[in-house]
């Protein structure tokens, strides 16, 4: 089988592991930088022109599209889909997952537990926004933030008002969420492939840090999910129509609460924490569908 991995950096852990897993199962693999692709759009034979050649005979693609290149990266994924290639991440699902507000609305419609969240059009009623999420402490997130960047914990009402008003003044879109105190600065990353949980880890923020992202210095350990947590993660990935997803959830007194569903989850943290070959599961998912 001919598999293309859409990645801008062949040296990234996730990219290298996917190449290893595919070659181990006797597939032909090529890494393609999506930003260097020219898209030939025509009725009879849509194609992709890359480094002086037309790309031929692509059975499947694995998109590893960074948030900063979502627009063009998704266009490349869509082009391969038009050419008949199977994609581990559907182009429309990729777009949907990158819109944090839309994602939350999709998850709400699927009756999935979420932290109380408020989004406004730069409302001047900051006091009302704070009240809607149950008061302080609360979390303020930039809609375009990734890997824990653009996330602020406001512990007092004055701090919350100052941060929200500052973002409003800059016309930066933010969502305001309730702070789940009982989570104690930890969240759970659940890796879902083809509707099945293939690995889960608990990420704990470093001392004095409420963000648990590994990019922010957090630590990770393997965790056994409860039935409720496993069902919530699978349901969230299904609602977002993602065949491969990293579902982030919090443990709360009212059950698991979904924070985010990631369409390009990294493999390094989950594989090292669980000792599982997640890359192999992704290649097997392709084999099942091609």
């Amino acid at each position: 089988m001919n598999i293309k991995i859409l990645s801008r950096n062949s040296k990234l852990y996730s990219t290298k592991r996917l190449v290893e897993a595919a070659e181990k199962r006797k597939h032909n693999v090529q890494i393609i930088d999506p930003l260097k692709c020219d898209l030939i759009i025509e009725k009879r034979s849509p194609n992709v022109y890359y480094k002086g050649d037309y790309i031929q005979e692509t059975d499947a693609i694995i998109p590893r599209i960074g948030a900063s290149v979502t627009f063009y990266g998704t266009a490349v994924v869509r082009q391969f889909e038009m050419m008949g290639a199977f994609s581990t991440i559907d182009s429309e699902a990729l777009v949907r997952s990158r819109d944090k507000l839309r994602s939350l609305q999709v998850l709400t419609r699927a009756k999935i537990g979420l932290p109380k969240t408020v989004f406004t059009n730069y409302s001047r009623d900051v006091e009302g926004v704070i009240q809607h999420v149950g008061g302080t402490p609360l979390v303020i997130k930039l809609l375009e933030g990734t890997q824990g960047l653009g996330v602020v914990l406001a512990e007092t009402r004055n701090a919350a008002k100052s941060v929200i008003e500052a973002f409003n003044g800059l016309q930066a879109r933010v969502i305001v969420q309730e702070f789940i105190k009982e989570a104690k600065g930890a969240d759970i990353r659940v890796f879902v492939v083809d509707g099945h949980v293939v690995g889960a880890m608990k990420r704990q923020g470093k001392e004095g840090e409420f963000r648990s992202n590994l990019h922010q210095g957090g630590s990770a350990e393997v965790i056994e999910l409860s039935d409720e947590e496993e069902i919530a993660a699978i349901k969230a990935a299904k609602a977002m129509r993602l065949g491969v997803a990293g579902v982030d959830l919090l443990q709360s007194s009212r059950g698991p609460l979904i924070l985010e569903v990631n369409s390009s989850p990294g493999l390094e943290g989950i594989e090292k924490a669980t000792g599982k070959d997640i890359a192999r599961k992704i290649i097997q998912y392709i084999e099942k569908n091609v």
Side-chain angles (χ1 to χ4, degrees), residues 74-270:
T74 303
V76 175
V77 173
R78 196 179 299 120
Q79 187 79 358
F80 275 106
E81 290 173 339
M82 288 166 56
M83 292 162 59
F86 171 75
S87 176
T88 56
I89 305 296
D90 175 83
S91 58
E92 292 305 311
L94 176 57
V95 172
R96 193 183 302 115
S97 71
R98 289 290 160 79
D99 185 333
K100 288 184 180 178
L101 179 60
R102 185 180 177 188
S103 296
L104 292 173
Q105 291 172 323
V106 168
L107 295 171
T108 299
R109 190 167 57 195
K111 309 297 183 189
I112 293 169
L114 303 167
K116 290 177 187 175
T117 304
V118 175
F119 177 74
T120 73
N121 188 38
Y122 309 122
S123 172
R124 292 185 179 181
D125 183 18
V126 176
E127 196 68 46
V129 171
I130 294 171
Q131 206 60 43
H132 285 314
V133 296
T136 53
L138 54 77
V139 178
I140 302 162
K141 297 180 179 179
L142 276 173
L143 279 182
E144 291 80 21
T146 61
Q147 298 178 345
L149 299 174
V151 181
V152 178
L153 172 64
E155 300 198 42
T156 67
R157 194 168 291 270
N158 285 341
K161 287 180 69 174
S162 296
V163 174
I164 295 171
E165 287 170 354
F167 278 133
N168 284 351
L170 293 169
Q171 293 198 324
R173 295 286 188 184
V174 297
I175 55 175
V176 180
Q177 285 185 328
E178 69 172 315
F179 177 63
I180 307 302
K181 186 178 180 180
E182 58 268 32
K184 298 177 181 177
D187 72 3
I188 296 173
R189 162 62 61 89
V190 185
F191 217 101
V192 179
V193 177
D194 195 20
H196 301 281
V197 171
V198 296
M201 62 178 175
K202 187 171 186 176
R203 303 182 298 189
Q204 181 69 54
K206 63 184 180 181
E207 190 173 348
E209 174 62 76
F210 82 101
R211 296 171 297 179
S212 57
N213 304 67
L214 300 185
H215 292 89
Q216 303 299 328
S219 58
E221 62 180 12
V222 67
I223 185 174
E224 186 75 30
L225 296 177
S226 68
D227 290 344
E228 193 179 9
E229 289 163 351
E230 187 168 339
I231 290 168
I234 292 171
K235 195 174 177 183
K238 184 178 180 182
M240 296 298 294
R241 298 181 184 176
L242 289 170
V244 177
V247 181
D248 296 339
L249 60 85
L250 293 176
Q251 294 175 312
S252 81
S253 56
R254 60 181 190 268
L257 303 176
I258 303 298
L259 281 176
E260 188 176 1
V261 184
N262 194 318
S263 56
S264 294
L267 299 181
E268 185 171 10
I270 193 76

Side-chain angles (χ1 to χ4, degrees), residues 44 128 278:
R44 296 183 182 276
I278 306 295

Side-chain angles (χ1 to χ4, degrees), residues 34-53:
L35 296 194
K36 294 180 180 178
C37 292
D38 294 329
L39 309 183
I40 314 301
I41 302 170
E42 55 181 331
K43 181 179 178 181
R44 296 183 182 276
S45 55
N47 214 318
V48 174
Y49 191 71
Y50 182 70
K51 291 187 175 180
D53 288 307

